[in-house]
Amino acid sequence: MLVLGFAEFEHQAKALAEQLHCPYKRVDVHRFPDGEALVKVPAMLPGHVIICRSLNQPDAKLIELLLTIAAAREHGADKVTLVAPYLCYLRQDKAFNPGEAVSQKIIGKFLADQIDELVSVDAHLHRVTHLQLAVPCRRAVNLSAVPLMVSFLRDNLDNPILIGPDRESEQWVAALAKARNLDYIVCHKQRLGDRRVHVALPESADVTKREAVIVDDMITTGHTVMEAARALLAAGAAKVHCLVTHPLFVDEADTLLHEAGVAQIWSTDSVTHSTNAIALAPLLAQAIKQS
Ligand code: R5P
């Protein structure tokens, strides 16, 4: 077994190799002036190759993955496991308007055609409930970061109230609250555009003088957490923090959040970011060992 990684995710890929007690090697990627990619894998590979890379900003990475897997199979790999803590193109799980491509299905089939196994974390599944239905490969595992978040909260905060900024986040916030016996509320969110959301606290919510932690699967533009933080502070919360699995952070998301009064932002290392506070490697390694 060997772990292959890429420059921007090397720390996490090396940590995974360490947990699995197996070697790590980097895939070299050269970009030609016209934008095409040349990938180079090590010349002699073992039978089981684990490719560890999150698929945020995915379009170029998907082509690099296709080339890497083909080269890996030519150089000895007969089983390929993709460990992609953040998995792309899951949100478009149906055509919302006539003519739209159902990206989840198309990219899911593309990946399933290349790999034998997939391991991901808090995959954004909504209408499709199992990861294997989205990516129909032999084994597809969707891990939850909740157990790691439980330990993190226990070590860092006393008795926070947990906040789900929308209905979809209830699965994470409820599990986390249950494990630590904490209060939680789920807000009402209305999405008005890519960078426009409205978030309202439930009428019965009392957050006065409470330390609040907004829990979500991902921060992209930051508008969801920003609106939730503003509502919490306006309702009298003493402090607002945020705990998230996937810190995608596009545009100036961190600045927006700090300007809205968010004190601390913590994330898992599913995507490399300055807010990374929880390492996923032990969880990922456990899932691979069970295959
Ligand atoms: C939505 O369903 C997700 O769980 C996140 O709440 C959303 O993707 C966050 O996006 P943004 O940071 O752009 O508001």
Side-chain angles (χ1 to χ4, degrees):
M1 191 193 281
L2 171 138
V3 175
L4 283 181
F6 293 80
E8 90 291 343
F9 208 62
E10 190 152 57
H11 178 75
Q12 294 90 326
K14 279 182 174 170
L16 178 63
E18 220 165 274
Q19 292 281 330
L20 293 169
H21 307 292
C22 75
Y24 165 83
K25 291 268 165 67
R26 187 202 271 206
V27 177
D28 289 326
V29 181
H30 174 72
R31 281 267 153 210
F32 290 110
D34 62 1
E36 289 182 3
L38 172 67
V39 311
K40 190 173 160 206
V41 301
M44 296 233 311
L45 290 170
H48 187 187
V49 165
I50 295 160
I51 299 177
C52 182
R53 185 182 215 186
S54 265
L55 294 175
N56 55 310
Q57 306 287 339
D59 293 1
K61 289 180 187 165
L62 288 171
I63 295 296
E64 289 171 12
L65 199 59
L66 175 73
L67 300 173
T68 300
I69 293 170
R73 290 202 189 275
E74 267 178 36
H75 289 85
D78 53 28
K79 177 177 174 186
V80 174
T81 301
L82 172 63
V83 175
Y86 177 72
L87 195 60
C88 57
Y89 282 111
L90 288 174
R91 279 181 273 200
Q92 181 80 13
D93 59 3
K94 68 171 196 173
F96 295 90
N97 297 291
E100 286 179 354
V102 182
S103 322
Q104 184 191 90
K105 208 176 181 148
I106 298 162
I107 300 297
K109 181 172 182 325
F110 169 84
L111 289 173
D113 286 346
Q114 319 302 322
I115 60 178
D116 299 284
E117 288 184 333
L118 171 67
V119 177
S120 190
V121 181
D122 291 341
H124 194 90
L125 299 172
H126 186 31
R127 278 159 285 267
V128 171
T129 48
H130 289 93
L131 186 57
Q132 202 164 23
L133 296 173
V135 184
C137 56
R138 218 170 59 209
R139 178 173 179 253
V141 183
N142 182 21
L143 299 166
S144 167
V146 164
L148 298 174
M149 289 180 168
V150 168
S151 315
F152 179 82
L153 280 184
R154 190 192 50 226
D155 296 344
N156 288 281
L157 293 180
D158 248 358
N159 182 30
I161 180 166
L162 305 184
I163 315 294
D166 55 25
R167 204 163 41 84
E168 287 170 350
S169 64
E170 182 159 9
Q171 53 187 302
W172 297 290
V173 82
L176 196 45
K178 190 171 170 209
R180 284 265 344 260
N181 204 15
L182 297 171
D183 297 333
Y184 79 94
I185 57 174
V186 176
C187 303
H188 306 289
K189 176 167 101 179
Q190 213 186 340
R191 185 163 282 286
L192 308 164
D194 287 344
R195 288 172 174 76
R196 278 185 66 220
V197 295
H198 180 252
V199 177
L201 304 183
E203 270 175 27
S204 57
D206 182 5
V207 296
T208 322
K209 297 196 173 130
R210 298 292 304 268
E211 192 163 20
V213 181
I214 302 167
V215 179
D216 208 353
D217 62 338
M218 68 180 95
I219 291 176
T220 311
T221 66
H223 284 261
T224 298
V225 171
M226 177 181 78
E227 292 298 332
R230 281 182 177 160
L232 287 161
L233 290 167
K239 248 186 192 170
V240 177
H241 310 293
C242 171
L243 178 58
V244 67
T245 305
H246 306 296
L248 301 182
F249 283 90
V250 303
D251 307 336
E252 300 295 313
D254 351 20
T255 314
L256 278 188
L257 298 194
H258 288 304
E259 281 174 4
V262 178
Q264 299 282 340
I265 307 167
W266 300 295
S267 63
T268 78
D269 61 359
S270 89
V271 172
T272 304
H273 191 261
S274 58
T275 57
N276 290 169
I278 300 175
L280 290 173
L283 184 74
L284 300 169
Q286 212 179 347
I288 291 168
K289 285 177 192 161
Q290 280 162 4
S291 82

